[in-house]
Amino acid sequence: MKTRMQCTAAFVLILLASCATEWRTDAPVKPTTYAASGPVSAGSVGRLPRLVVTKVTLHREAEEAEQATPEWQARNATIRNELRQEIVRYLVEQKGYEVRSIDEPPPGDEQAVRAAGIRLGVDGIVNVEHRLTKPWSTGQAISNIFLLNIPLLNALNAVNLRITIHETATGRTVWMKEMKGEMPDSPKSTPDVKGALGDLENALPAQLRR
Amino acid sequence: MHFFSRGVASGVLGLAAPPMYASGLVVGGIILAPGALILSSMEQRMWERMVSALKAADFEQSLLRATKARANSELATAAQSTTADSINVELVVNAYGLASQSPDRLCFIASIDLIANRAGEHWLRERLIISTRERSPDAPPPQCASHEGMAQNEGQMVRNTAAIYAEVLAAMVIDRLRNRSKP
């Protein structure tokens, strides 16, 4: 009985504290640019040391007229580029990957991933999806009270950043991380790249890929 | 009509407030105390998993094995082609393990000294480091992750990292010996 209570309490605490979800494949991760051997475990994303980051898929909320303005488009381009630069910098400096960015949209299916990966000479493709939402209005905040905080819970559970890594060898997704909590569309909002990529395995060092 | 004068009302509120605060503290304590205990025991278990993974990694022996294997395969041909004196190589493991980078993040670090003597004379001495603050020029960035990341799957990241570091350091040692041997 005591154990069950402790487990329930732990579950509630984890639920309250969780702001990110990570998923990784159980299947072996296969590189394509070198012959994998050595001490790294078969399921490690570090076996894909050469990566490309595709164009960031950005979702922002606004009226259609506003979305057509040059300022809106320019702001979108700035957000996309800054986020991608930050991801590339983190993967290279902190995780030891060989990463470059390409101005192509994410490949659609497994076959497209394989084709793109082989064409680009990389072990894997990184797709990034970022979502910014309008800050809550006073009306929305008041209605949240009457709706028993359900909109607030939905907002806390909404994904603001999703990073996915696909391997070239099979085109499958091998790793994915989602950062949760609505992110307001403002210049001060910065996605948590460190939190998203912090637990990723380092790339297999160059000395072990000869 | 006055129910209370200003002083009386605040006096009544003053009398009511301490029990309210006290009940708030009791309710808060009931919520927080088991939570803190559970989190503390979860954290302790995470540390136990990391420590046992670190012990099981047997880093010094792995480093020795990897260095010998690489020396046999990569330096053997060079040694056969020359009539050089034998070189005595010592590897001193100064430190390896998990260091705190921030309150929620750990990094696996390692530092070894490479000491080589040739014909009884000092020939090469270098410190090889994989760390966050300073690292050897050809060393990879250290593996850092959250406590949960390091501890998951019975400390799989700790075991993998120890094995990779042993191989990488062995490769760095052999590179230095080879470069030093060049005329």
Side-chain angles (χ1 to χ4, degrees), chain A residues 9-20:
Chain A
F11 176 74
V12 170
L13 283 167
I14 288 165
L15 204 66
L16 287 170
S18 65
C19 55

Side-chain angles (χ1 to χ4, degrees), chain A residues 39-51:
Chain A
V40 70
S41 72
S44 170
V45 181
R47 287 158 66 97
L48 307 177
R50 295 185 183 97
L51 300 170

Side-chain angles (χ1 to χ4, degrees), chain A residues 85-103:
Chain A
Q85 277 172 16
E86 179 63 13
I87 288 169
V88 170
R89 190 197 62 74
Y90 193 85
L91 285 170
V92 171
E93 292 177 10
Q94 304 293 321
K95 296 287 172 183
Y97 287 84
E98 292 171 25
V99 190
R100 63 182 202 270
S101 49
I102 52 166
D103 279 329

Side-chain angles (χ1 to χ4, degrees), chain A residues 6 9-10 13-14 22 24 39-41 90 92-96 194 198-202 204-205 207-208 210, chain B residues 35 38-39 42 70 105 135 138 140-146 149 152 156-157 160 163-164 167-168 171-172 175:
Chain A
Q6 280 182 340
L13 283 167
I14 288 165
E22 186 179 294
R24 59 179 59 241
V40 70
S41 72
Y90 193 85
V92 171
E93 292 177 10
Q94 304 293 321
K95 296 287 172 183
K194 189 180 171 185
D199 278 355
L200 188 67
E201 300 96 338
N202 282 13
L204 191 64
Q207 289 93 337
L208 308 186
R210 286 172 185 163
Chain B
I38 290 164
L39 283 179
M42 281 165 70
R70 282 178 183 271
R105 284 179 71 73
R135 62 182 154 112
D138 52 343
Q143 176 70 63
C144 301
S146 63
Q152 73 182 355
Q156 190 182 25
M157 189 177 269
N160 280 346
I164 291 170
E167 289 288 341
V168 169
M172 288 164 68
D175 280 348

Side-chain angles (χ1 to χ4, degrees), chain B residues 71-84 118 177-178 181-182:
Chain B
N72 286 336
S73 65
E74 295 180 32
L75 295 180
T77 47
Q80 279 166 6
S81 62
T82 61
T83 53
R118 188 175 197 170
L177 293 174
R178 193 190 289 118
S181 302
K182 282 179 186 167

